[in-house]
Amino acid sequence: MADSLAELQEALDALVEERDWAQFHAPKNLAMGVAIEAAEIMEHFQWCTADESYSLPKEKRAEVANEIGDVLLYLLGLGRTLDVDIIAAARDKLALIREKYPIEKAKGRATKYVDLD
Amino acid sequence: MADSLAELQEALDALVEERDWAQFHAPKNLAMGVAIEAAEIMEHFQWCTADESYSLPKEKRAEVANEIGDVLLYLLGLGRTLDVDIIAAARDKLALIREKYPIEKAKGRATKYVDLD
Amino acid sequence: MADSLAELQEALDALVEERDWAQFHAPKNLAMGVAIEAAEIMEHFQWCTADESYSLPKEKRAEVANEIGDVLLYLLGLGRTLDVDIIAAARDKLALIREKYPIEKAKGRATKYVDLD
Amino acid sequence: MADSLAELQEALDALVEERDWAQFHAPKNLAMGVAIEAAEIMEHFQWCTADESYSLPKEKRAEVANEIGDVLLYLLGLGRTLDVDIIAAARDKLALIREKYPIEKAKGRATKYVDLD
């Protein structure tokens, strides 16, 4: 797996700066972007069954990858404007999940793995 | 910035495996997760202005970071089940954006930076 | 079925006016509200199968009804601020769907019933 | 305002039945539809300010109306499959809001009008 989020962040920062887009990227607007692109991922899964969702046709899978890229870019942008390290945030969240769902209690139960609000 | 998404992926994989949760994590369900958590980010920005959204109160900012972590975890999980490298996907998307919005045309215009579909 | 949306609209208008909330209800913010509450509906369906989703436990069903009410209220509020008649909008959309998906072509095919854009 | 949701429901039911689409309309899938279309409404508001969102260009306003229609159709469909009367659900919700946000406390405060969960 490509590993360096830092490099991606730099490339995104450059793109935004070159186009003078920072003025539009208030956290409020970027948060909307994350949600809008997340819905575009979902669109590809609306009518298939859970089983079918594992084996998307090649072209559809490429479109999903494209939307996944969008979500990650908005997430990075949002992290940037709020000064939130998104990997650290996810790591902290994992720790919370481990605590809330100890293995012996959560094993094999259809429970949300990220429902800690 | 914490840089290694690969490490995070490993930690997530372990958590899912220890709890025997893979059975619930069909791409369809994980895609819903991305969208649900994205909405939880947005909730914190619904009533503030764009300007106010830059300076969240400390506690609110921590909650947003928490939800950002959720989205990234679901995104990673989705990438895993679909065999999509999410960083590579974002990189490909950046290239598409550069093409669709050349600097000379896009500079200073309130246009979506991720609207390529 | 309760039929009068007009009555509901009046009750909503009164509630908003009495609380002096119109100042916060820009279409942008109400649109976010529709999406946020829509995600809260979805949350109840994330981990169940399509089949299971038909027979929610009674309490969960009440919670879903509650979120459905939220979405309808935001939708009405949004229609109000934009001067859009939401029933007329849905009727127009139905006509478009009938056109785009003629019975002889669409019958029994897993296609979106509202995918016209 | 067009008032009869019952008529719209009948027209929707006929459309679904004629195309034999009920088989795809599990509540889980319809809930995804509500969220997907809600995001499409939002898309039109992502880059404008709250003030600008009141006065959309005519064409954009028509597109928003179109997406509002989509959300209402999915909401009606979801209500149908779950046997939830969506107007009654909204009415119940209004009562809850009145209780949770009494006028004397809520007046002029930027608070969510539908945040009761």
Side-chain angles (χ1 to χ4, degrees):
Chain A
M1 184 169 78
D3 193 29
S4 179
L5 211 50
E7 239 172 72
L8 185 65
Q9 177 85 66
E10 275 172 41
L12 174 60
D13 289 350
L15 179 138
V16 170
E17 163 142 25
E18 286 160 4
R19 280 157 193 75
D20 198 14
W21 279 351
Q23 58 184 312
F24 309 117
H25 289 187
K28 178 169 179 142
N29 295 352
L30 297 179
M32 292 172 83
V34 176
I36 290 166
E37 301 303 326
E40 294 190 3
I41 294 178
M42 259 204 317
E43 226 177 312
H44 297 283
F45 296 106
Q46 189 184 3
W47 300 117
C48 69
T49 64
D51 278 353
E52 289 165 355
S53 74
Y54 284 100
S55 46
L56 297 182
K58 202 177 164 181
E59 194 189 324
K60 222 175 164 54
R61 192 177 150 284
E63 285 168 21
V64 170
N66 186 47
E67 307 298 355
I68 287 177
D70 270 342
V71 173
L72 184 53
L73 291 177
Y74 270 120
L75 212 57
L76 265 181
L78 184 60
R80 169 63 92 204
T81 59
L82 294 174
D83 199 20
V84 165
D85 179 326
I86 72 172
I87 291 192
R91 228 189 263 141
D92 290 349
K93 190 61 191 251
L94 270 184
L96 285 175
I97 298 169
R98 268 190 222 98
E99 228 176 89
K100 193 175 175 194
Y101 299 103
I103 298 176
E104 58 282 11
K105 287 197 181 169
K107 196 162 183 176
R109 302 194 47 198
T111 184
K112 315 188 198 180
Y113 73 72
V114 284
D115 180 45
L116 292 171
D117 40 352
Chain B
M1 185 169 79
D3 192 29
S4 179
L5 212 51
E7 239 171 71
L8 186 65
Q9 177 84 68
E10 274 172 43
L12 175 60
D13 289 350
L15 179 138
V16 171
E17 161 141 27
E18 286 160 4
R19 280 158 193 76
D20 198 12
W21 279 351
Q23 59 185 310
F24 308 117
H25 289 186
K28 177 168 180 143
N29 295 352
L30 296 180
M32 293 173 83
V34 176
I36 290 166
E37 300 304 325
E40 294 190 3
I41 294 178
M42 259 205 315
E43 225 178 313
H44 296 283
F45 296 105
Q46 190 184 3
W47 301 117
C48 68
T49 64
D51 277 354
E52 288 165 355
S53 74
Y54 284 98
S55 46
L56 297 181
K58 202 176 162 180
E59 195 190 321
K60 222 175 163 55
R61 192 176 150 284
E63 286 168 21
V64 171
N66 186 47
E67 307 298 354
I68 287 177
D70 270 343
V71 174
L72 184 53
L73 290 177
Y74 271 120
L75 212 57
L76 265 181
L78 184 60
R80 169 64 92 205
T81 59
L82 294 175
D83 198 19
V84 165
D85 180 325
I86 71 173
I87 291 192
R91 228 190 264 141
D92 291 348
K93 190 61 192 249
L94 270 184
L96 285 175
I97 298 170
R98 269 191 222 100
E99 226 176 274
K100 192 176 177 193
Y101 299 103
I103 298 176
E104 57 282 11
K105 287 198 182 170
K107 196 161 185 179
R109 302 193 49 199
T111 184
K112 315 188 198 181
Y113 73 71
V114 285
D115 181 45
L116 293 172
D117 37 348
Chain C
M1 185 169 79
D3 191 29
S4 179
L5 211 51
E7 239 172 70
L8 186 66
Q9 178 85 67
E10 275 171 42
L12 175 60
D13 289 350
L15 179 138
V16 171
E17 161 141 27
E18 286 160 4
R19 281 157 191 76
D20 198 14
W21 280 350
Q23 58 186 310
F24 309 117
H25 289 186
K28 176 167 179 144
N29 295 351
L30 296 180
M32 292 173 82
V34 176
I36 291 166
E37 300 304 325
E40 294 191 4
I41 294 178
M42 259 203 318
E43 226 177 313
H44 297 283
F45 296 106
Q46 189 183 3
W47 301 117
C48 68
T49 65
D51 277 353
E52 288 165 355
S53 74
Y54 283 99
S55 47
L56 298 181
K58 201 176 164 182
E59 195 190 321
K60 221 176 165 54
R61 190 177 151 284
E63 286 168 21
V64 170
N66 186 48
E67 307 298 355
I68 287 177
D70 271 343
V71 173
L72 184 54
L73 291 177
Y74 271 120
L75 211 57
L76 264 181
L78 184 59
R80 170 62 93 204
T81 60
L82 295 175
D83 199 21
V84 165
D85 180 324
I86 72 172
I87 291 193
R91 228 190 263 139
D92 291 349
K93 190 62 190 252
L94 270 185
L96 285 175
I97 298 169
R98 268 191 222 98
E99 229 177 88
K100 193 175 176 194
Y101 300 103
I103 299 177
E104 58 281 10
K105 288 199 180 167
K107 197 161 183 178
R109 303 193 46 198
T111 183
K112 314 188 199 181
Y113 74 69
V114 286
D115 181 44
L116 293 171
D117 33 354
Chain D
M1 185 169 79
D3 192 29
S4 180
L5 212 51
E7 241 172 69
L8 185 66
Q9 177 84 68
E10 275 172 42
L12 174 61
D13 289 351
L15 180 139
V16 171
E17 161 141 26
E18 286 161 4
R19 281 158 191 75
D20 198 13
W21 280 351
Q23 58 185 311
F24 309 117
H25 290 187
K28 178 168 179 145
N29 295 351
L30 296 180
M32 292 173 84
V34 176
I36 290 166
E37 301 302 327
E40 295 190 2
I41 294 178
M42 258 203 318
E43 226 177 313
H44 297 282
F45 296 105
Q46 190 184 2
W47 301 116
C48 67
T49 65
D51 277 353
E52 289 165 353
S53 74
Y54 282 99
S55 46
L56 296 181
K58 203 176 162 181
E59 194 190 323
K60 222 176 163 55
R61 192 177 150 283
E63 286 168 21
V64 171
N66 185 48
E67 307 297 356
I68 287 177
D70 271 341
V71 174
L72 184 53
L73 291 178
Y74 271 121
L75 211 56
L76 265 181
L78 183 60
R80 168 64 91 205
T81 59
L82 293 175
D83 199 20
V84 165
D85 180 325
I86 72 172
I87 291 192
R91 227 190 263 141
D92 290 350
K93 190 61 190 253
L94 271 184
L96 286 174
I97 298 169
R98 268 191 221 99
E99 229 176 87
K100 193 175 175 194
Y101 299 103
I103 299 176
E104 58 281 10
K105 288 199 181 166
K107 196 161 183 176
R109 303 194 47 199
T111 183
K112 316 188 199 180
Y113 73 71
V114 285
D115 179 45
L116 291 171
D117 40 349

